[in-house]
Amino acid sequence: MTLFTTLQSLVPQQKISEIAGRLAQSRHPMVKKTFIRTFASVYGIKLEEYARGSFSQYDSFNDFFTRELKDGARKIDDDPDALICPADGMISQLGQIDKDQILQAKGKSYEVGQLLADYELGKAMQEGSFVTVYLAPTNYHRVHMPFDGTLVETIYVPGQLFSVNNETAENITDLFARNERCVCVFDTEFGKACVVLVGAMIVAGIETVATGKIKRSDRVQRQTHHMTLKKGDELGRFYLGSTAIVVLPKSAGIAWDAGLYNSVPVTMGQRLGTFLQ
């Protein structure tokens, strides 16, 4: 492993994220102003495409980090056969699930049932398709529906909080199946499908429209739902950068658009592929 990934194994990941979370949700004027202004300066963040155009309009760093877009800032591909990108970011990997293995990085794969924390559900995804989208700190941090579906279950899985950038993905075995995550399970016209929100180092939390902000715990939390969502609807959000993974069954029959590969930038609403079912 590299020095960066080795250090991540040694530091107290949960404690660092807990402290960061407390500071990020602080409404103290000096705390929030310092964090927001410093972050925006370091990452060159402008507010032209966001609904609130002044840094002073945000109640906390978390409020700023999960800022909402202006209406119409992202075009949602309205082709009924289009699978759209769930978030702004860049492609980490995408393609077919090889039996039960999802590609993490060159030479590294992990088991889909382990990622979903449900091996029966994992069997339903064998030979299916997946796309992994990495959200950098600069990105818009809400996750949207990549297809039409009815949310029937969420599975919160406690875990590690490794960084999820390319360097870590190339060096940490089973990264996405080891990190904290929330598995969102849907009924769709092509069968069961999932969107997995993966936590990471310093991420102060994961939130979905069905659960609200998920309270961290040391046990798996399963909740049933019946919430119908349309393609492009908001599904959840991250409090700091992370990863969203879309997992589809073989019956979805995705044909990926050309030019999509590791590190290609993508935007929420962009067509990634076409359903052939």
Side-chain angles (χ1 to χ4, degrees):
M1 295 195 295
T2 65
L3 177 60
F4 175 61
T5 52
T6 300
L7 287 174
Q8 289 182 63
S9 301
L10 298 176
V11 299
Q13 299 173 346
Q14 295 286 348
K15 181 56 68 175
I16 289 174
S17 294
E18 179 185 338
I19 294 169
R22 288 177 182 172
L23 290 172
Q25 69 186 7
S26 173
R27 292 173 177 252
H28 187 282
M30 286 306 297
V31 173
K32 73 169 186 174
K33 181 179 179 180
T34 299
F35 271 73
I36 291 172
R37 296 279 182 177
T38 301
F39 189 88
S41 175
V42 169
Y43 288 103
I45 293 174
K46 308 297 182 185
L47 297 177
E48 286 86 351
E49 62 180 359
Y50 293 97
R52 289 174 283 174
S54 169
F55 295 122
S56 63
Q57 291 178 279
Y58 296 93
D59 294 332
S60 65
F61 180 78
N62 273 347
D63 186 34
F64 164 72
F65 197 80
T66 58
R67 57 198 178 275
E68 66 276 29
L69 292 167
K70 289 180 179 176
D71 289 342
R74 295 288 181 277
K75 184 182 186 311
I76 308 297
D77 192 301
D78 59 6
D79 182 339
D81 293 325
L83 171 76
I84 67 165
C85 187
D88 286 6
M90 70 177 188
I91 298 292
S92 177
Q93 297 292 339
L94 87 168
Q96 185 176 9
I97 299 170
D98 183 9
K99 295 181 180 176
D100 62 356
Q101 296 292 305
I102 295 180
L103 181 64
Q104 175 176 301
K106 186 176 181 180
K108 287 187 180 294
S109 297
Y110 59 96
E111 192 171 350
V112 63
Q114 185 183 2
L115 172 71
L116 302 179
D118 186 318
Y119 284 91
E120 285 303 310
L121 184 58
K123 287 179 182 178
M125 303 299 159
Q126 289 185 6
E127 305 294 342
S129 302
F130 77 97
V131 57
T132 304
V133 179
Y134 167 68
L135 290 73
T138 54
N139 291 129
Y140 166 63
H141 265 75
R142 300 192 184 194
V143 178
H144 293 250
M145 288 292 293
F147 44 70
D148 294 344
T150 298
L151 179 65
V152 295
E153 185 177 25
T154 52
I155 309 169
Y156 166 78
V157 188
Q160 299 294 315
L161 291 170
F162 289 108
S163 168
V164 287
N165 61 18
N166 273 338
E167 181 178 348
T168 312
E170 291 168 359
N171 287 279
I172 299 292
T173 301
D174 299 334
L175 172 64
F176 302 121
R178 291 171 64 181
N179 266 21
E180 176 188 59
R181 57 202 181 277
C182 179
V183 181
C184 299
V185 185
F186 298 90
D187 281 338
T188 74
E189 63 180 12
F190 46 80
K192 283 281 193 293
C194 300
V195 179
V196 185
L197 282 63
V198 184
M201 182 77 77
I202 313 180
V203 170
I206 298 171
E207 180 175 325
T208 76
V209 293
T211 62
K213 190 172 181 182
I214 298 171
K215 184 175 177 58
R216 280 196 170 117
S217 72
D218 57 2
R219 62 180 180 83
V220 173
Q221 302 173 30
R222 300 186 79 131
Q223 297 183 45
T224 57
H225 311 278
H226 188 82
M227 180 180 288
T228 299
L229 296 166
K230 291 293 188 181
K231 182 170 65 176
D233 286 350
E234 184 179 336
L235 172 60
R237 60 188 69 173
F238 290 113
Y239 293 89
L240 270 180
S242 202
T243 289
I245 305 174
V246 180
V247 184
L248 303 167
K250 184 178 181 179
S251 56
I254 285 292
W256 298 106
D257 282 11
L260 297 174
Y261 48 85
N262 177 263
S263 298
V264 168
V266 286
T267 56
M268 188 278 288
Q270 171 185 341
R271 189 182 72 177
L272 298 180
T274 304
F275 293 108
L276 301 178
Q277 86 286 352

